[in-house]
Amino acid sequence: MERLTEEEKNGVYKAIFNRRDIRAFLNTPIPHTKLYKLLEAAHHAPSVGFMQPWNFIIVQAQEIKNQLAAIVDKERRALAIHYENTDRELTFLDLKIAGIKEAPITICVTCDPSRGGDHVLGRNSIPETDIMSVSCAIQNMWLAAYAEGLAMGWVSFYKKSDVRRILNIPLHIDPVALISIGYTDHYPERPLLEIHDWERRHELKHLLFENKWGIEYINKDI
Ligand SMILES: Cc1cc2nc3c(=O)[nH]c(=O)nc-3n(C[C@H](O)[C@H](O)[C@H](O)COP(=O)(O)O)c2cc1C
């Protein structure tokens, strides 16, 4: 059964393949209706036991964005130690890993592991399925942002305790991601980390196994 027209199908794949992680933003404000579309897309993500463990803290105050940017930069500098005296040191220091100060909106996406009580269907077996559910919500936002002509960046360089302190997040709530949203005048065709020669996409065929781990999947159609 076809659920989408050919054109609609192309739209879905176009968003999946062309969506990028963006770290450079214009200060053009985002209309509230557009922002709300992204949030609604997130809220329609699948979640383990339908627990919907997410909240979205929408940060627009420049002072708070500056505080978040400062702890992200602190973490970036701390992580730089791992690349000291290696051939990646200069590349790492050159990478722009966040655009929090520039982007008009930062959204902290959180996960409440206690939502739905102590027996959430499915999460009983694999506790981290709550965070996996939040990740699905974030990916929905990413695709919706692409569809709306907006740019989005996922920032994960931070200590959770710092983000909790700045945003008054209770201890049992997990700040899963800081998301920057805005318009950009530079939407790259390839992942920025690929452009900067840091990492490239693995060949899919090397990631496929047949029947058991490690057995090459051979399909003549691929
Ligand atoms: C869980 C997660 C955390 C990420 N954290 C960061 C980050 O802190 N800073 C950053 O610049 N990019 C971050 N990214 C973006 C990735 O670097 C990016 O998705 C990857 O390089 C592929 O590029 P693309 O998203 O443009 O296809 C993160 C992505 C994910 C899924």
Side-chain angles (χ1 to χ4, degrees):
M1 191 189 86
E2 293 289 334
R3 293 194 178 83
L4 298 180
T5 63
E6 207 54 36
E7 201 180 353
E8 287 167 338
K9 239 195 287 189
N10 289 339
V12 171
Y13 287 117
K14 187 174 179 186
I16 290 171
F17 292 137
N18 293 354
R19 170 217 56 80
R20 294 275 75 84
D21 182 85
I22 306 295
R23 293 148 224 182
F25 300 92
L26 303 168
N27 59 9
T28 317
I30 303 171
H32 179 75
T33 45
K34 281 206 179 215
L35 174 67
Y36 204 73
K37 283 192 169 155
L38 269 54
L39 295 167
E40 272 191 318
H43 188 46
H44 280 73
S47 61
V48 68
F50 205 20
M51 79 181 285
Q52 305 158 69
W54 41 71
N55 283 90
F56 305 92
I57 307 174
I58 297 146
V59 179
Q60 302 190 74
Q62 193 60 41
E63 171 50 24
I64 302 184
K65 282 193 280 172
N66 290 348
Q67 288 177 35
L68 292 172
I71 56 146
V72 166
D73 195 57
K74 183 176 71 174
E75 186 70 0
R76 182 189 69 84
R77 284 180 282 124
L79 290 178
I81 291 173
H82 295 282
Y83 302 105
E84 252 176 20
N85 305 319
T86 74
D87 53 0
R88 288 188 133 186
E89 182 176 9
L90 290 179
T91 320
F92 180 82
L93 292 171
D94 251 13
L95 290 176
K96 184 166 195 296
I97 52 99
I100 295 181
K101 275 196 212 173
E102 300 102 294
I105 291 184
T106 294
I107 301 178
C108 178
V109 188
T110 60
C111 176
D112 180 351
S114 68
R115 193 161 302 159
D118 49 3
H119 286 289
V120 170
L121 186 72
R123 193 181 164 266
N124 276 343
S125 315
I126 304 181
E128 57 272 33
T129 43
D130 55 6
I131 294 185
M132 295 173 186
S133 306
V134 172
S135 303
C136 291
I138 296 172
Q139 176 68 350
N140 269 9
M141 274 173 79
W142 228 332
L143 294 174
Y146 182 85
E148 295 295 339
L150 286 164
M152 174 173 140
W154 182 326
V155 181
S156 59
F157 282 52
Y158 56 78
K159 290 277 178 273
K160 289 177 180 177
S161 49
D162 285 336
V163 172
R164 284 200 184 91
R165 172 175 42 77
I166 294 169
L167 300 180
N168 277 351
I169 299 173
L171 206 55
H172 72 287
I173 303 290
D174 198 344
V176 176
L178 291 174
I179 301 295
S180 303
I181 312 261
Y183 290 95
T184 190
D185 54 7
H186 181 61
Y187 205 96
E189 283 182 8
R190 294 188 293 139
L192 286 169
L193 290 187
E194 197 173 286
I195 292 170
H196 287 94
D197 255 344
W198 183 266
E199 191 56 270
R200 51 194 61 251
R201 195 177 303 287
H202 300 299
E203 272 197 67
L204 176 60
K205 66 178 179 191
H206 297 317
L207 306 176
L208 307 177
F209 296 146
E210 177 138 14
N211 292 325
K212 293 207 177 197
W213 178 269
I215 310 293
E216 194 182 350
Y217 175 79
I218 297 167
N219 184 325
K220 295 197 172 54
D221 296 336
I222 298 180

